[in-house]
Each structure stands twice: as structure tokens, then as C-alpha cells.
Amino acid sequence: MKIKYTVKIRDTRSYGYLYEEALKTLRTNIQLSGRNIKSILFTSTHTNEGKSEISFQIAVQFAKAGKKVIYIDADIRKASSSKRVRLPENINGLTKYLSGQCSKDDIAFHTNIENFDIIMACVSSPNPSELFEDDAFGALIKELEEQYDYVIIDTAPIGMVIDAAIIGQVCDGAVFVVSAKDTSTKLAQKSLHQLKMSGCKILGAVMNMVDPKESDVYGKYGKYGKYGYGVYGQAGK
């Protein structure tokens, strides 16, 4: 894949010490998952649990650590990540590529952060599941795995639509994001089971929006077993 243009990230603000440290811990645990774990999807049960922000910030953390990384906004039902990047008007993105409207060389961009490239959805799609099932998506991920150390993919909430399970079939691993505030254990477990059914390796679950002073919240989600790394903050979407 050839990249023609560079775009600017709008905001790389700090969310505070605990949030930054939790992101670094998550990055380290992903790295320790194995050298063959390169393509990683992020999903959640429903919207506003923070999976888009966490996946984006993890990609930035990998880049800052010297890893060559590409971030893909594959939540093509919303395409919310475009708000983080200053994109030219009428550009091509993942949706147009998967629907055959442009070449893969037209959808990737360098950013002003060293080692950090992106592919944005840009426009929404009425039939995302069919697009992800096409061979073009799997071929794209395979090519990117050869060019980058990590491919970080933001997907739609698996508790609402099936997209993440389809994407998981061509990824090396998955990270499940759950809000400690308003997501029930039952619904989170159901979503996690659905993700496992895709055959994608579950790397772990990130508990987001945790108040570190309220330690009893960890007991509430104790049934996740080996999964669970807290990310303190109020990141949404």
C-alpha cells in the first residue's frame, strides 16, 4: 500500500496520570500476548463505553513506543473517529474501498505523529456486514500485517450488531471494552461469548470509566476470570 498524503491529529490531550498509566499497561499486555499478534480489534457491548477512544489512544501509544502502527476506523455505521483527525473534504475511506469505489492506495494517510498512520471510514454504509465478509477486507488486513507492527481496528459494538464477529475472523486478537458504570455483567458476558464464537483470540477485557476509589466494582465483574485491566477516565464512544 502506498500512502500519498499526511493529515493532522486534532487532539492528543492527556486524560490524567491514571488513564495514561492504564493505557501503557494495556499496551504492554498486548505486546506480551505474543509476537504473532498484529491485527487487533476493539469492541464493546453498546455505544459510549469508550472503545473508540481507547483503541485510538492505544494506537498512539504504540507509535510513541517506536512501533509502526495503523489505526482503522471500521465502525462504518457511525464513522465517529473522523472527529479526531483533520481530513480534507471528499476523501476516500474504508467504506468506499470495500464497496469498490476506490483503490486501497487512496484510503491510508500518514499523520503528524511519527509511526502512526490511519484509515478512516469517512462515510457510513447501509450494509457493513456484507462489506466485511468480502475477500477485499481480509486481503487488506493481511497486507497491512506485513507492513506494520500493529493494526488496530475499531469496530461497532458487538452487543448491537455482528460486524466485530465478522472482522474477528481475519484478526489475530480482540480487546473487549466494558463500562463499569452502566453495562450489566449479564449483557457483557453475552457479548463476550458472541465475540469468542468468531474464533478470534480474546486478549483481554478493559474495564473503562472506573472510579479507582470504588474498588468493589471489580467484584461485580469478577466473572470475567483472567480478563480485566482498568482504564480510568471518562472516554466515550
Side-chain angles (χ1 to χ4, degrees):
M1 176 180 290
K2 299 178 181 179
I3 300 182
K4 304 174 182 178
Y5 305 104
T6 298
V7 296
K8 186 176 182 180
I9 303 300
R10 288 181 182 274
D11 189 4
T12 57
R13 65 190 182 281
S14 173
Y15 288 99
Y17 175 78
L18 287 176
Y19 190 88
E20 294 286 342
E21 288 302 305
L23 285 173
K24 292 177 181 178
T25 299
L26 178 58
R27 181 192 68 197
T28 299
N29 279 283
I30 290 175
Q31 290 177 297
L32 293 175
S33 297
R35 66 177 64 187
N36 295 324
I37 303 296
K38 303 194 70 174
S39 54
I40 304 162
L41 72 84
F42 282 69
T43 191
S44 59
T45 297
H46 52 72
T47 58
N48 298 317
E49 292 192 88
K51 56 130 182 110
S52 294
E53 185 63 31
I54 290 173
S55 61
F56 190 86
Q57 295 299 335
I58 280 295
V60 172
Q61 286 290 333
F62 273 122
K64 289 182 177 180
K67 301 296 182 181
K68 189 175 181 183
V69 61
I70 187 164
Y71 171 86
I72 303 177
D73 176 10
D75 189 353
I76 62 178
R77 296 175 187 267
K78 289 182 62 177
S80 61
S81 297
S82 298
K83 298 176 182 178
R84 299 181 180 87
V85 185
R86 293 181 180 177
L87 297 173
E89 293 183 3
N90 301 318
I91 68 164
N92 295 310
L94 183 62
T95 303
K96 288 187 177 181
Y97 167 66
L98 294 179
S99 58
Q101 298 180 54
C102 68
S103 163
K104 63 176 179 291
D105 292 333
D106 297 324
I107 63 174
F109 297 86
H110 293 306
T111 73
N112 55 308
I113 298 176
E114 188 177 1
N115 301 316
F116 184 43
D117 297 338
I118 58 170
I119 294 176
M120 310 307 294
C122 293
V123 295
S124 59
S125 167
N127 61 337
S129 298
E130 289 81 357
L131 294 181
F132 291 128
E133 288 175 334
D134 191 278
D135 291 342
F137 182 72
L140 175 65
I141 298 303
K142 184 176 181 179
E143 180 176 339
L144 293 175
E145 287 176 339
E146 295 175 352
Q147 296 180 9
Y148 291 88
D149 295 313
Y150 290 99
V151 181
I152 305 297
I153 308 168
D154 177 32
T155 69
I158 196 168
M160 303 177 69
V161 292
I162 200 66
D163 301 3
I166 298 173
I167 293 171
Q169 295 175 6
V170 298
C171 289
D172 298 326
V175 175
F176 182 69
V177 178
V178 58
S179 168
K181 285 189 172 183
D182 53 9
T183 303
S184 71
T185 303
K186 184 177 181 180
L187 286 177
Q189 289 177 329
K190 182 178 179 180
S191 298
L192 190 58
H193 175 72
Q194 182 66 55
L195 186 58
K196 289 180 180 178
M197 292 294 289
S198 72
C200 186
K201 180 179 181 180
I202 310 298
L203 302 182
V206 175
M207 188 176 293
N208 193 29
M209 302 178 186
V210 177
D211 185 342
K213 297 179 182 179
E214 298 178 2
S215 59
D216 60 324
V217 74
Y218 293 101
K220 175 183 176 183
Y221 289 91
K223 293 182 181 180
Y224 289 150
K226 64 180 179 179
Y227 306 129
Y229 299 105
V231 175
Y232 310 119
Q234 302 298 323
K237 299 183 181 179

